Amino acid sequence: MNPISMINWLKCNLLDISLETFLEFMQWVVERSDDDILVVFGLHGFRKNIENFDAVYVFVTQDGGVQATAKFHNGTMEIDSSAAPNWDLKVVFKDVNALWRLMMSGGGGVVDAMMANDTQVYGNLNYLYRFGFLVKDLVGTRLGIPLPA
């Protein structure tokens, strides 16, 4: 898929895609962050957000049906469709919609999601806030997709 088609498709389908597809898109942006074509879409330089950053994120649904790992290492990102045994942050969520609500919410949204038993977070919450920043920067700021309130 060419960059223009991918960006337009994502703008129309963001909240309907799977977690793994979104992580694949984020990885695609990280890998091509220095390509000149991405300047047009405001995606140029996204990789700078993860320079000198090392973390392993594991995302799983409560029933274990959805599992994904995102590994960041000094400006690179790898994804895996299974849960890594060692992680810095693990997020267990009721369903993918619960994860999206958590990622798109502000600071209080984390507490609300945990109080509603939609999400359990294990590890350092600073990593959760960092991932939330990456999602909001990519989606809201760079792509200009209005985030849900």
Side-chain angles (χ1 to χ4, degrees):
M1 185 179 287
N2 70 48
I4 294 171
S5 298
M6 182 174 273
I7 301 303
N8 288 334
W9 178 86
L10 184 69
K11 285 183 177 184
C12 294
N13 297 291
L14 175 70
L15 296 179
D16 294 327
I17 64 174
S18 70
L19 170 64
E20 190 170 355
T21 301
F22 180 77
L23 291 175
E24 288 170 356
F25 175 73
M26 183 182 276
Q27 180 184 31
W28 181 87
V29 171
V30 166
E31 289 173 353
R32 290 158 186 81
S33 170
D34 297 327
D35 292 356
D36 290 337
I37 187 70
L38 294 186
V39 170
V40 174
F41 305 107
L43 300 175
H44 192 266
F46 181 74
R47 180 186 325 215
K48 290 180 181 170
N49 288 332
I50 59 170
E51 285 180 353
N52 301 313
F53 178 63
D54 295 310
V56 177
Y57 292 84
V58 169
F59 302 96
V60 290
T61 52
Q62 289 174 348
D63 66 4
V66 174
Q67 298 183 13
T69 298
K71 297 177 184 178
F72 296 92
H73 178 67
N74 195 26
T76 64
M77 179 182 178
E78 296 176 27
I79 55 173
D80 190 341
S81 60
S82 62
N86 299 316
W87 39 262
D88 296 296
L89 184 83
K90 181 176 182 179
V91 180
V92 180
F93 48 96
K94 185 166 100 178
D95 55 32
V96 176
N97 288 332
L99 179 68
W100 283 121
R101 283 192 304 275
L102 177 69
M103 289 298 106
M104 302 299 181
S105 69
V110 173
V111 174
D112 291 342
M114 288 192 279
M115 296 284 286
N117 289 325
D118 284 344
T119 310
Q120 292 104 35
V121 179
Y122 304 93
N124 188 330
L125 281 180
N126 287 321
Y127 287 110
L128 180 64
Y129 289 118
R130 178 72 176 258
F131 191 79
F133 164 79
L134 292 172
V135 170
K136 289 178 187 175
D137 181 52
L138 178 59
V139 174
T141 304
R142 294 176 184 267
L143 291 176
I145 298 171
L147 299 174

